[in-house]
Amino acid sequence: MVLTLTLMSVLYPFMYNATWKIYLGAFLLPFAGFLFGYIVASICRMEHFQRRTVALETGIQNFPLCMTLLSLSFSREVFAEISLFPLLYGVTCILASIVFAVAYQCRTGLNAKFRTQNDRRHNDRGKCEEEKGYHHKETSKFLDKI
């Protein structure tokens, strides 16, 4: 990521000469794309992991498409003038993707930790119930009804 930012700074030094509105728009657009993709995937009743994938793809794929269209449609001089927002948006996409990846890994780690703790508690409680003899009786009654 640092290499990408450094390369973009060298190739396009003008990208840091923008107003706060450009920066704000470039910062909010990927998150709006993520949210839009997640909502549409939810409306289509996709599974949670599919919703996440659609959201990330919707938020990120706008940048390469925009840069491709700009670079193929305009000369280098014109491209330099009109590519400020897309370049800032691209940097924000990279940063937002890293934030989401780190947040997902933290969430997954915490869920695994809580699941392990709950499994231990459940197993300990199950042992106590087995010692009392309640667990087997309740299970056999349930299975008899099926």
Side-chain angles (χ1 to χ4, degrees):
M1 179 182 84
V2 174
L3 180 62
T4 304
L5 293 175
T6 305
L7 182 61
M8 290 177 77
S9 296
V10 170
L11 293 175
Y12 309 105
F14 60 86
M15 71 184 269
Y16 298 107
N17 299 329
T19 66
W20 66 271
K21 293 176 183 178
I22 299 277
Y23 281 105
L24 182 65
F27 178 75
L28 293 178
L29 188 58
F31 295 102
F34 295 146
L35 182 63
F36 178 75
Y38 194 85
I39 289 171
V40 170
S42 297
I43 291 170
C44 294
R45 298 178 187 225
M46 292 182 172
E47 296 293 326
H48 184 67
F49 69 93
Q50 292 170 327
R51 293 176 192 177
R52 208 171 37 240
T53 302
V54 169
L56 288 173
E57 289 297 326
T58 303
I60 294 171
Q61 281 186 354
N62 294 332
F63 172 66
L65 177 64
C66 178
M67 292 305 290
T68 302
L69 291 174
L70 289 177
S71 64
L72 294 176
S73 301
F74 298 100
S75 67
R76 178 123 174 112
E77 295 79 28
V78 175
F79 176 78
E81 293 176 21
I82 61 174
S83 63
L84 176 62
F85 181 78
L87 289 171
L88 290 174
Y89 172 68
V91 171
T92 307
C93 279
I94 294 168
L95 295 174
S97 300
I98 290 170
V99 167
F100 276 117
V102 168
Y104 178 74
Q105 290 298 322
C106 291
R107 180 177 163 246
T108 303
L110 288 174
N111 283 347
K113 180 181 174 183
F114 289 128
R115 201 174 304 127
T116 304
Q117 289 175 349
N118 286 339
D119 288 346
R120 284 189 205 143
R121 288 182 191 152
H122 180 68
N123 288 340
D124 292 342
R125 190 174 60 220
K127 288 178 183 175
C128 295
E129 289 175 352
E130 285 177 10
E131 291 171 1
K132 294 178 183 177
Y134 297 124
H135 184 69
H136 294 294
K137 291 178 185 175
E138 291 175 0
T139 304
S140 61
K141 286 181 184 177
F142 175 75
L143 291 174
D144 289 340
K145 290 180 182 179
I146 296 178

